[in-house]
Amino acid sequence: MYVLGIGELDATQVALAGGKGASLGALARIEGLRVPDGFVVTTDAFAEGMTDDVAAAIGAALQDGASYAVRSSATGEDSEAASFAGQHDSFLNVAADDVVEHVQRVWASLSSQRAVAYRERGGVEHAAMAVVVQRMVDADASGILFTADPLTGNRKLAKVEAVRGLGDALVAGEVAPSDDVLSAEQVLQLETIGRRIEARFGRPQDIEWCLDGDGFAIVQARPITTLFPIPVAKDDDNHVYVSVGHQQMMTDAMKPLGLSVWQMVAMIGMHEAGGRLFVDVTPRLASPAMRAATLKALETSDPLIGAALRTVLARDGFVPTVPDAAPPAGGPPAPPEPIATDHAIVEELIAQSESSLAQLEHAIAPLSGSALLDFVASDIQDMKRAIFDPRVLQVILAAQEASEWLNEHLEAWLGERDAADVLTQSVPDNVTSEMGLALLDVADALRDRDDDLPAAIDAGALDAFLDRYGMRCVGEIDITRPRWNERPAALAPVLLSNIRNFAPGEGRRHFEQGLQDAQAKERDVLARLNPEQAAETKTMIDRLRTFSGYREYPKYAIVCRLWVYKRALLAEAERLVTAGVLEDASDMSYLTFAQLQDAVRTQSVDRDAIDRARAAFESYTSLRPPRVLTSDGEAVAGSYAARDGAPAGALLGLAVSAGTVEGRARVVLDLEHADFAPGDILVTTFTDPSWTPAFVAIDGLVTEVGGLMTHGAVIAREYGLPAVVGVQDATRLIRDGQRIRVDGTSGYVEVLDR
């Protein structure tokens, strides 16, 4: 069928009418909504080409003397995943005799360089082109209606832009909208129409409209594809959500299995939206007794989160005060009692964790089917109890409090800022920093094989390293991410950098230098204090160095257990493939843990649901999650206060590791593409523990995400790297290769060559 009237179409006919055509068909079915008359030249016609039959079908649908809009309607166009706005050609005021020619021109635009590049960037493998042909509206005014604010995401705010006459120049960005085209009554009428369209399609819409003597006509509606989804709430109350990814240093989208397993691991309830996890902090903000502590904790973790929350709290009534609110159930336990400074405590905690891991590996080995899934669910609860052993929190808090005490008192007594940063260099028991140094030792062993590093890796040159650290990877909180054990070649770029940039023995030298710097700093500050101050300070330094290395261990222990679970679950997925339940073992990643349990129990699965989950994940990968999100859909942005001493134009952030360094910016978004030279400064979105091997090769660190106690900050301090984190849009505002200055004491980054 070559031509179909718009009234014959509906939203299910994308394959035949393209995205725009199917959408117009659905719009035409909304009672009382005016859609200009027209038809669609279908993808069947596109497949045939402009044959005599196709031309005849188009001609039969036209009216002599009428003018038409001839507009693209590719199969991926105006979809939830991509808008294709401006990528294909469309034409206005086309005479009936010229429609066939313009249909061909629209077809040709499918193969334009910009359209091909757009499809490749969006992962669209195949597209066909239908063409919408509609009667032109003799418009007094035209414009765009967004049923949600496209900048903030607020679903309760609509935005209208209008110009006199036709709106094609407005859509193309060639003219500015006019404020006096529509009356207030007409704006409200237009918003009402927009809400009806939004209700029909189930999500906010980008709507093109025209106004003539007969009222408003709708010529296009498509989803606003840039909005971040909202967590599903059980009520209609206002909610404020804080990003988990900004706390865990992993803001990438996660697959369903990864999301659900981390929700099981977490000590607090988490909500999913856009492939990310969020915590609803509304109850804590509503309680006067908890509000101040909540704000302080989140501001310490990430000042921009704190600033955004204060913006929300300043709005009357959005978070109503509930004086008698009790602490929410399921939160972390109360702070533990202080603990004696005794390294044997750390040794015992590590030994218990390693013993527990060995027991897990032994117990899980013979299990399969529902018994395996039930065991994993139960073991996660046992793991949570072990991770939050009171002594674990005592050790971590002891180190944190010692650091704060030293920074506060040594600045007051001696004018020393951030003295604890140097005093924590080369502490014992830091499993993450030890990993970076261990890879330097691997580089030493491979120096004579760097010309064929992949073969050396395949031959087992990394086996000892992987036995200890192979369960790690970028984004390791997502159990579905490939571990280094699964893809050891991911470490090749860092190994090559180590071989190229360092002499043999650098791992030991690096540790010894850090230790010497810490000892020198200790001697220096103690010598300048009076005896009473020196005694107190020495006690705190010993406490800091005894306990601060353990800060990295609990997450390492969790990741070790996730790797044991993953191997067992992958084996179960292979059994499901053999049984014909799954097409491929990787399909498991697109099931939640509960869905996987059901699939194992029933030996059946909804494969369409897997396909939908895969498509949803792909659509989420291009979204940038907000630090703070409201139930209205608003991504609330925080900002830094003006910084004394920061140069004009400097990029502000959070100072997490003292010192100043100048060097070449290396903007690296993927560790597998890391290539560093001496003097380089790493600029990236986030760094979780897997980035640590790169830290030995750089002189400074800048990230878009992070806080004072996140992993990247902890390791930067231990390695003595000046670091500034939480720099908004750092990877966009700093170009690879630019020379920059990083002030890790004051918390700013200066671009030296523009």
Side-chain angles (χ1 to χ4, degrees), residues 600-616:
V600 169
R601 178 176 51 82
T602 64
Q603 292 293 289
S604 64
V605 71
D606 183 347
R607 292 188 177 179
D608 289 339
I610 290 176
D611 290 340
R612 289 194 298 272
R614 181 181 283 106

Side-chain angles (χ1 to χ4, degrees), residues 617-700:
F617 169 77
E618 293 298 333
S619 72
Y620 297 151
T621 57
S622 62
L623 298 178
R624 293 168 64 90
R627 284 174 164 83
V628 173
L629 181 68
T630 73
S631 49
D632 289 345
E634 181 182 3
V636 186
S639 60
Y640 292 104
R643 195 76 45 85
D644 290 340
L651 307 178
L652 302 184
L654 176 64
V656 296
S657 185
T660 301
V661 64
E662 292 183 14
R664 180 181 66 158
R666 293 312 315 271
V667 180
V668 180
L669 304 182
D670 185 344
L671 185 61
E672 294 186 33
H673 297 98
D675 180 20
F676 299 109
D680 282 351
I681 297 170
L682 172 61
V683 180
T684 190
T685 49
F686 62 83
T687 58
D688 61 9
S690 69
W691 283 82
T692 301
F695 281 26
V696 299
I698 60 176
D699 283 4

Side-chain angles (χ1 to χ4, degrees), residues 162-180:
V163 293
R164 298 184 187 280
L166 293 176
D168 54 314
L170 175 65
V171 174
E174 297 171 356
V175 299
S178 174
D179 294 331
D180 59 354

Side-chain angles (χ1 to χ4, degrees), residues 46 129 132 170 205 305 334 360 387 390 489 518 685 688 700 726 739 752:
F46 173 73
M129 180 66 79
V132 172
L170 175 65
Q205 297 289 303
I305 289 178
L360 167 63
I387 292 298
T685 49
D688 61 9
R739 190 163 185 81
L752 301 177

Side-chain angles (χ1 to χ4, degrees), residues 56-81:
I58 295 173
L62 296 169
Q63 296 181 11
D64 291 337
S67 293
Y68 292 89
V70 181
R71 310 173 74 193
S72 64
S73 182
T75 49
E77 196 167 353
D78 290 357
S79 68
E80 294 186 4

